[in-house]
Amino acid sequence: MSMAISDPSSLSAAQLSFTKRICRVYGGNHLLRATARRKDCLARSVSSEGSNPSVEVDVRFPRDYSELLQQAKAATELAFKDNKQLMEIEFPTAGLESVPGDGEGGIEMTGSMQLIREFCDLFIISEKVARTRIFFPEANEVDFARKSAFEGSSLKLDYLTKPSLFEDFGFVTKIKMADRVKPEDEIFLVAYPYFNVNEMLVVEELYQEAVENTSRKLIIFNGELDRIRSGYYPPFFYPKLAALTKTFLPKLETIYYIHNFKGQRGGTLFRSYPGPWKVLRKDRDEYICLHQQEEMPSLKEVALDILPSK
């Protein structure tokens, strides 16, 4: 089936360019479907923007990490204004198009540490530096951070767990979070709490003891919470971790998120608060919106239902 556009002059320059490119890449058979998807995404974005013209809802996929951090900063500022208390920022650190496992774990954590420092430099104003506490997974990480990415920083650095004599067997010393927090603390940022299963349980404790029912804010930065959401940890062996899907995660707002799916029908799940969740696919140098919705879809739904159907 071919399709003719009766009045090309009615299209904007961007729409006309998009239509020509779709014709070249996909052919006439796919023009109607692709244009409809584009129109639907744009229409929803315009509708969302109509409720608050000062908020940029239709955020494009970032071109590099510098743009990503600016987008994450803007999303966090808007979430703070909306009084969100428990927030998540999640994106790949081995490259914007990478997937979990593409990078070695230690290298990814070091990358996250550097990006957290850059994010804090952008987001934390000077008056809030002394009131911001960054929690790393272990005490050793704090020492490393002070000698590397956070050298010279006035931000408070702290830790969630402390290795014990039986560290090789997975045992760590539990830290009482109420003792780590100071009265003047206003913002907590937790760095990549996923290497040990106990770390996220301590984050929940931090939220319950120091954030809930206060004016404080807590941001989980690259915590790989999708492992918990997807059932990666069997409930039989990790009942406390599995319980977080009912007690902790429902209270969380994912304010900035990128997850890539590889393969012939691959794509990207993307969100920048307060915008919708978008499923994107890269066409040459541009990301095309295939689908969007208000609630976060599961990774299984995106991989098995949304992407294969587009």
Side-chain angles (χ1 to χ4, degrees), residues 93 101-112 192 194-195 224:
T93 57
D102 279 358
E104 192 273 326
I107 295 176
E108 288 189 343
M109 289 181 183
T110 301
S112 281
Y192 43 90
Y194 64 83
F195 186 73
E224 294 199 8

Side-chain angles (χ1 to χ4, degrees), residues 21-80:
R21 176 163 41 76
I22 289 295
C23 286
R24 290 198 306 269
V25 176
Y26 295 106
N29 289 337
H30 301 277
L31 177 59
L32 182 59
R33 184 169 57 188
T35 304
R37 286 199 300 265
R38 176 75 166 186
K39 182 178 180 181
D40 178 60
C41 286
L42 287 174
R44 293 189 191 184
S45 296
V46 171
S47 176
S48 299
E49 279 189 299
S51 60
N52 189 349
S54 65
V55 176
E56 184 182 0
V57 175
D58 191 24
V59 177
R60 70 180 183 185
F61 191 84
R63 292 167 293 187
D64 51 37
Y65 280 108
S66 177
E67 186 172 9
L68 180 151
L69 291 173
Q70 289 288 350
Q71 291 177 353
K73 169 183 177 287
T76 307
E77 288 174 342
L78 292 169
F80 272 41

Side-chain angles (χ1 to χ4, degrees), residues 65-256:
Y65 280 108
S66 177
E67 186 172 9
L68 180 151
L69 291 173
Q70 289 288 350
Q71 291 177 353
K73 169 183 177 287
T76 307
E77 288 174 342
L78 292 169
F80 272 41
K81 288 181 180 178
D82 288 341
N83 293 317
K84 301 296 180 181
Q85 272 198 299
L86 180 60
M87 292 153 278
E88 173 191 20
I89 295 174
E90 181 73 37
F91 59 86
T93 57
L96 292 182
E97 298 181 26
S98 66
V99 298
D102 279 358
E104 192 273 326
I107 295 176
E108 288 189 343
M109 289 181 183
T110 301
S112 281
M113 181 185 291
Q114 181 61 46
L115 290 165
I116 289 170
R117 171 64 192 270
E118 294 177 24
F119 172 79
C120 289
D121 287 346
L122 287 172
F123 176 69
I124 307 296
I125 60 176
S126 58
E127 292 82 0
K128 298 290 185 181
V129 168
R131 298 178 179 272
T132 300
R133 187 175 297 274
I134 301 175
F135 285 94
F136 289 96
E138 295 182 355
N140 294 337
E141 284 280 320
V142 174
D143 293 336
F144 178 70
R146 287 187 175 131
K147 296 174 183 177
S148 56
F150 283 83
E151 184 178 10
S153 173
S154 299
L155 291 161
K156 296 178 179 178
L157 305 187
D158 218 315
Y159 55 90
L160 300 173
T161 62
K162 189 174 183 179
S164 71
L165 295 175
F166 303 98
E167 180 184 5
D168 290 342
F169 299 96
F171 293 99
V172 295
T173 301
K174 190 175 184 297
I175 304 298
K176 188 171 177 56
M177 297 314 295
D179 295 338
R180 313 299 301 172
V181 174
K182 303 303 178 185
E184 64 271 17
D185 291 344
E186 294 182 8
I187 301 172
F188 302 120
L189 193 153
V190 182
Y192 43 90
Y194 64 83
F195 186 73
N196 186 297
V197 294
N198 293 313
E199 292 166 7
M200 192 55 66
L201 298 177
V202 178
V203 175
E204 181 189 33
E205 180 187 327
L206 173 64
Y207 172 74
Q208 291 174 340
E209 295 188 359
V211 178
E212 196 171 26
N213 300 320
T214 74
S215 60
R216 291 171 170 149
K217 314 291 186 183
L218 190 157
I219 303 170
I220 301 173
F221 199 104
N222 283 347
E224 294 199 8
L225 293 173
D226 287 327
R227 293 188 183 190
I228 302 174
R229 294 187 183 104
S230 64
Y232 175 84
Y233 300 102
F236 180 79
F237 296 105
Y238 302 97
K240 291 183 179 180
L241 207 59
L244 295 182
T245 60
K246 297 179 180 179
T247 62
F248 184 63
L249 297 189
K251 301 175 183 178
L252 183 144
E253 182 77 41
T254 302
I255 58 173
Y256 195 84

Side-chain angles (χ1 to χ4, degrees), residues 251-264:
K251 301 175 183 178
L252 183 144
E253 182 77 41
T254 302
I255 58 173
Y256 195 84
Y257 183 93
I258 295 174
H259 185 96
N260 295 306
F261 301 81
K262 288 191 174 181
Q264 187 176 5

